[in-house]
Amino acid sequence: MVLTGAEILIQSLKKEGVEYLFGYPGGAVLHIYDCLDQQDDIRHILVRHEQGATHAADGYARATGKPGCVLVTSGPGATNAVTGIATAYMDSVPMVVITGQVPTPLIGNDAFQEVDSVGITRPCVKHNFLVKSVDELAGTIKRAFYLASSGRPGPVVIDIPKDVTAHKAEFKYPSKIDIRSYKPVTRGHPGQIKKAVKLLLSAERPMIYTGGGVIWSNAAKLLTELAGILGYPVTNTLMGLGGYPATDRQFVGMLGMHGTYEANMGMHQSDVLLAVGARFDDRVTGNIEKFCPDARIIHIDIDPSSISKNVKVDIPIVGSISDVLAEMIRVLKETKRKPKDAELKVWWQQIEEWRAMDCLKYDRETTQVIKPQYVVEELYNVTEGDAIITSDVGQHQMWAAQYYKFDRPYQWINSGGLGTMGFGMPAAMGAQFAYPQQTVACITGEGSIQMCIQELSTCLQYSLPLKIVSLNNGYLGMVRQWQEFFYQGRYAMSYMESLPDFVKLAESYGHIGMRIENKADVVPAMQEAMQQKDRLVFMDFMTDPEENVYPMIPAGGGQNEMILV
């Protein structure tokens, strides 16, 4: 078939199984939009801002494990998408972003709505392309999807000049792709795996520390099997929540700056640490000099550049998490050695002593002020732990991670590495498109929600029945907490003095708004909201303005130096 570049793009996206294309039209991509309008296989979702498009595609990808897809125009369309591209890059989310570009002869002439999209996005993508000829287009799209979803996933940008979408070429979509310089290792080195198993079985105070790589590798069941064989305690990073069942006895909670006492103390005192698909982020390690001082470390990751990048490890294993864990389980089952039961029993006694401190306790009974922790706990109860939860960034994000128990992968969707306010609601849109019958709730704050509030219009257009849970404390809560702890209570620019009436705002967009001011009304409001199966409900919970997130490792502190109250 001889097709225009725009037609080749649409046919290529169909070959890749793209269901939803999140975007916003503009001059440089009008040929593409004209083709989109003449087909029904790919559903275009018209957002209200390009940042919303990238976050929605990101949420779709995190809910499904499949690449999200974005289409924006040149110039400001591309620059508006950069925040969402960087968000996906930091959290290893597979995404293909198609940006329009001015016609090829005008590139470099400061033409109307021209920016160097390739140059701007180079630091925050896995790869990017400028398509200079229509003959290159189909192969470039195939490469982009392969790069985005293989190895360590990430966003890929394809910049397409307008004239390329108008020119014609014969359409042949490659059945497979081979990139000579890109050969991700999937199988771990057998010798390293045997060494790792030997070290694991010698442990007296072991910990299993897992991150988002477990989820992206579809390795949650394998991780659960491995942990069951060993009987060792498991902790997840913020991005790894759901990779191991939170309700399982061996799960000791999230670790890191706002992790549980038992998780952080277990890490600090461990003698053998198995790190799986995690990158030793600074919010996990605290002060690197104080991190796991007595532990010998095994690190499994598909990205060799992540190994010994922040923390030097003893046994590195490069490979797919699912492949490596499967081989580890096989070696464990074949070996005659077993974990050290006596020492492990003592270790679990110590962990249970730490767990008994109940570091996440708060005043549930005596206060009538709505505590944000209470709202999240009751959301978990009302949804029976089955909802897909997205969050924005701040105190509410940490409370969501601490108090909603995630038992399965792809259930917890948040911006971890970049910490992007405004992420939550458009990400929830993407998740809701992926699973129309699933309850999707966005836990947010009165500051974050305003960053992409215009997407309430998108939710109305496509009848998305999201449940917005706003923990409204009248402050930029995490900023205020740091100012209280470390800046002598000088709340510089963290107080939100001119908040809108969110109930009226939600209603003005055609949705249901609720303001909840009394603790006794929290559960009834949620129950009423969940009964609205085909309507978006914005629940504005007026929460304690002075509540802080505990535990907390202060900046520069070690994992054993937590602030508990």
Side-chain angles (χ1 to χ4, degrees):
M1 293 184 292
V2 175
L3 303 175
T4 66
E7 292 168 333
I8 288 171
L9 172 62
I10 299 305
Q11 291 301 319
S12 299
L13 295 181
K14 289 180 182 180
K15 294 284 188 181
E16 291 295 334
V18 173
E19 299 174 288
Y20 295 100
L21 186 58
F22 300 91
Y24 202 93
V29 289
L30 284 183
H31 292 321
I32 301 171
Y33 271 89
D34 189 51
C35 289
L36 271 173
D37 191 54
Q38 299 176 52
Q39 58 83 53
D40 298 316
D41 295 320
I42 299 172
R43 188 178 181 192
H44 179 271
I45 306 303
L46 178 65
V47 296
R48 300 306 185 264
H49 191 285
E50 290 88 353
Q51 183 177 342
T54 51
H55 291 333
D58 186 318
Y60 173 88
R62 296 192 204 219
T64 63
K66 298 186 290 187
C69 203
V70 176
L71 173 61
V72 297
T73 194
S74 64
T79 57
N80 282 346
V82 170
T83 296
I85 294 169
T87 299
Y89 179 71
M90 289 290 283
D91 291 343
S92 304
V93 178
M95 195 157 74
V96 174
V97 180
I98 300 156
T99 58
Q101 184 54 275
V102 300
T104 306
L106 297 182
I107 292 176
N109 289 352
D110 294 331
F112 177 65
Q113 290 191 333
E114 179 192 1
V115 297
D116 179 5
S117 298
V118 169
I120 287 172
T121 60
R122 185 172 287 119
C124 60
V125 294
K126 188 173 178 181
H127 196 68
N128 55 20
F129 300 92
L130 172 61
V131 182
K132 297 180 180 179
S133 166
V134 68
D135 296 314
E136 304 170 0
L137 187 53
T140 299
I141 295 165
K142 184 70 175 181
R143 287 183 181 88
F145 276 89
Y146 173 62
L147 288 167
S149 55
S150 62
R152 179 179 179 176
V156 176
V157 167
I158 310 173
D159 198 34
I160 308 178
K162 186 172 183 178
D163 57 319
V164 171
T165 64
H167 293 163
K168 291 187 175 183
E170 185 176 355
F171 175 58
K172 290 182 178 179
Y173 198 66
S175 59
K176 60 181 180 178
I177 206 77
D178 181 70
I179 303 175
R180 187 172 59 181
S181 60
Y182 177 74
K183 304 289 183 183
V185 175
T186 57
R187 296 190 64 184
H189 189 282
Q192 291 293 88
I193 291 174
K194 288 178 181 177
K195 285 168 63 177
V197 169
K198 183 178 179 180
L199 179 58
L200 279 172
L201 293 175
S202 73
E204 297 181 2
R205 302 184 308 278
M207 287 289 292
I208 300 175
Y209 146 59
T210 75
V214 170
I215 294 171
W216 289 119
S217 294
N218 292 313
K221 290 182 179 179
L222 289 167
L223 173 64
T224 302
E225 183 180 356
L226 177 73
I229 293 169
L230 293 170
Y232 295 172
V234 180
T235 181
N236 291 159
T237 66
L238 178 70
M239 302 311 302
L241 294 175
Y244 187 85
T247 54
D248 189 87
R249 187 192 72 86
Q250 286 178 237
F251 185 64
V252 294
M254 181 178 72
L255 81 162
M257 179 172 281
H258 295 294
T260 66
Y261 187 69
E262 53 268 30
N264 283 322
M265 289 300 292
M267 291 285 287
H268 185 74
Q269 293 195 18
S270 64
D271 67 342
V272 174
L273 175 64
L274 174 61
V276 187
R279 57 188 179 90
F280 295 91
D281 175 76
D282 60 290
R283 290 295 169 105
V284 162
T285 64
N287 188 327
I288 290 286
E289 300 299 321
K290 302 177 181 179
F291 178 73
C292 294
D294 301 319
R296 297 186 66 190
I297 301 174
I298 305 159
H299 188 188
I300 307 169
D301 205 291
I302 197 163
D303 181 7
S305 71
S306 291
I307 294 181
S308 290
K309 180 179 181 179
N310 297 325
V311 173
K312 182 174 173 55
V313 304
D314 298 279
I315 301 178
I317 303 174
V318 178
S320 165
I321 303 301
S322 55
D323 287 355
V324 174
L325 290 186
E327 181 63 12
M328 266 191 170
I329 290 167
R330 187 190 68 78
V331 173
L332 271 169
K333 287 179 176 178
E334 289 181 356
T335 186
K336 294 180 180 179
R337 293 183 61 188
K338 301 297 178 186
K340 293 186 173 183
D341 288 342
E343 291 84 352
L344 192 57
K345 184 177 180 180
V346 173
W347 180 230
W348 269 112
Q349 287 172 347
Q350 174 62 80
I351 289 172
E352 293 301 340
E353 287 180 20
W354 290 327
R355 181 142 52 185
M357 293 179 65
D358 193 11
C359 67
L360 298 181
K361 63 179 178 291
Y362 64 94
D363 185 359
R364 290 179 175 87
E365 308 301 333
T366 63
T367 182
Q368 291 307 304
V369 177
I370 298 177
K371 294 290 186 179
Q373 304 96 314
Y374 176 74
V375 176
V376 178
E377 281 192 324
E378 292 306 327
L379 178 65
Y380 174 78
N381 292 331
V382 169
T383 60
E384 299 180 339
D386 191 49
I388 294 174
I389 302 295
T390 73
S391 84
D392 274 296
V393 172
Q395 287 181 315
H396 60 270
Q397 177 189 26
M398 295 299 104
W399 285 316
Q402 290 174 333
Y403 293 93
Y404 202 103
K405 301 179 182 68
F406 299 100
D407 274 346
R408 67 177 191 273
Y410 305 112
Q411 188 185 5
W412 166 236
I413 298 171
N414 78 120
S415 170
L418 197 64
T420 307
M421 293 174 68
F423 173 84
M425 183 167 62
M429 289 162 34
Q432 191 75 83
F433 278 116
Y435 298 105
Q437 305 306 316
Q438 180 78 39
T439 298
V440 179
C442 169
I443 298 176
T444 185
E446 77 292 332
S448 284
I449 193 65
Q450 294 187 81
M451 292 278 187
C452 285
I453 194 73
Q454 72 282 344
E455 299 307 330
L456 283 173
S457 179
T458 308
C459 293
L460 179 68
Q461 179 173 347
Y462 297 100
S463 302
L464 298 177
L466 304 182
K467 304 300 178 271
I468 310 296
V469 179
S470 172
L471 305 183
N472 187 340
N473 59 13
Y475 283 98
L476 298 177
M478 192 59 84
V479 174
R480 183 207 60 76
Q481 178 168 332
W482 278 63
Q483 289 171 333
E484 176 187 333
F485 286 5
F486 310 118
Y487 297 89
Q488 292 75 54
R490 293 187 296 274
Y491 299 143
M493 272 40 91
S494 60
Y495 184 59
M496 306 289 283
E497 297 180 287
S498 55
L499 290 173
D501 183 329
F502 286 110
V503 172
K504 290 182 179 178
L505 182 60
E507 291 174 347
S508 74
Y509 276 102
H511 304 302
I512 298 171
M514 299 179 178
R515 180 180 293 105
I516 301 94
E517 299 177 294
N518 299 311
K519 181 180 176 183
D521 296 330
V522 169
V523 173
M526 286 184 184
Q527 291 172 334
E528 182 181 348
M530 296 305 163
Q531 290 172 2
Q532 300 291 332
K533 300 297 184 182
D534 58 353
R535 298 284 301 278
L536 183 149
V537 182
F538 192 118
M539 292 170 275
D540 193 23
F541 293 93
M542 312 308 292
T543 62
D544 187 344
E546 297 182 352
E547 190 68 17
N548 291 321
V549 181
Y550 295 108
M552 180 178 181
I553 300 174
Q559 289 181 305
N560 63 331
E561 298 173 327
M562 284 166 280
I563 301 171
L564 296 179
V565 289

